Amino acid sequence: MTKAAIMANDGLWQAIRGEAERAAAADPVFGKAVADAVLAHDDFAAALTDLIGRRLGSGAAERARFTAFSREAFREETDLIAAAARDLQAIARHDPAIAELLPPLLHFKGYVALQAWRVSNWLWRHDHRDAALLFQNEASNVLQVSIHPAAHFGSGVYLDHATGIVIGANVVIGDEVTILQNVSIGRRGELPARSPRIGRGVFIGSGATILGDIAIGDFAKIGAATVVTSDVPGGCTAVGNPARLTNCPEPASAA
């Protein structure tokens, strides 16, 4: 992580702590939970590690296991924390109902599911395959979000509502992508099996299905319940089953 990224994360953490202190002072009943989840920790990585353990572990032993794996991943690859910070900031930018960082950190299951995936992907890349699949299984069971550890995500990603999201192995998701509930992205049955590639800034509506060796261009939009099995050019909107293209940018005029 660069010095600039470290300073940005420190600023983010101070903003979260400030929100937590105000929330605890305003509501003593909720204040205990806020203190345990945020104020008891020294930095963003420690709070996020604890959050993953709390959400995925159903008992003390499981909580300790998920916490330990997460702590190791964040210690060995600090860029995971930088990505987690950008994911959190993306929620505040894209969700008009959110004005602060604390609520999505504590309460948005899509956020914690994505950070659990980041740990599982680290485990997968370091040949801890069983542990990686354990993360996927528990996130699916507890959070209703199933992301294969061998998928690839950029940062600034927002899983909005996040119930029923299924993302298969080798799917590529770019930066600043928003995915709503009940979305499936994965390969088709034919061989060789290849998975979709989702560009930067893409919006994927609820209930959409994206399958096969296809590319979704930067800043495209996929409408609710749309079934996409062929490429969508950048900036276009795809709607319907099967998908049809609309609102595509006008081609640049010849000089």
Side-chain angles (χ1 to χ4, degrees), residues 64-215:
R65 183 184 304 118
F66 288 117
T67 299
F69 280 132
S70 301
R71 184 182 300 113
E72 182 181 6
F74 294 152
R75 182 179 63 245
E76 295 297 324
E77 190 168 324
T78 55
D79 284 348
L80 298 179
I81 294 299
R86 289 191 289 270
D87 293 336
L88 189 61
Q89 291 165 324
I91 298 174
R93 282 197 306 274
H94 297 306
D95 191 333
I98 296 299
E100 295 185 315
L101 298 168
L102 186 64
L105 174 66
L106 296 184
H107 307 307
F108 282 28
K109 67 177 182 177
Y111 179 74
V112 70
L114 182 56
Q115 308 324 311
W117 170 82
R118 294 196 185 282
V119 176
S120 77
N121 177 253
W122 183 88
L123 291 165
W124 187 267
R125 290 185 282 110
H126 289 80
D127 293 323
H128 304 301
R129 300 293 174 90
D130 288 335
L133 292 171
L134 175 65
F135 266 77
Q136 180 191 6
N137 182 67
E138 288 308 304
S140 179
N141 288 340
V142 176
L143 304 172
Q144 297 86 50
V145 177
S146 180
I147 308 174
H148 196 281
H152 304 271
F153 275 77
S155 63
V157 176
Y158 180 19
L159 306 183
D160 190 4
H161 298 289
T163 296
I165 292 176
V166 178
I167 298 176
N170 303 316
V171 170
V172 177
I173 307 288
D175 295 336
E176 302 292 334
V177 170
T178 297
I179 303 174
L180 271 64
Q181 68 271 19
N182 295 317
V183 166
S184 296
I185 307 174
R187 62 191 188 186
R188 299 178 73 177
E190 70 272 10
L191 295 174
R194 295 188 176 90
S195 300
R197 300 165 301 285
I198 312 297
R200 180 184 182 88
V202 171
F203 178 90
I204 304 175
S206 60
T209 300
I210 303 173
L211 300 175
D213 181 17
I214 62 174

Side-chain angles (χ1 to χ4, degrees), residues 3-19:
K3 183 177 180 179
I6 292 171
M7 292 178 64
N9 282 352
D10 287 345
L12 177 83
W13 176 239
Q14 292 308 314
I16 292 170
R17 282 190 64 89
E19 292 178 22

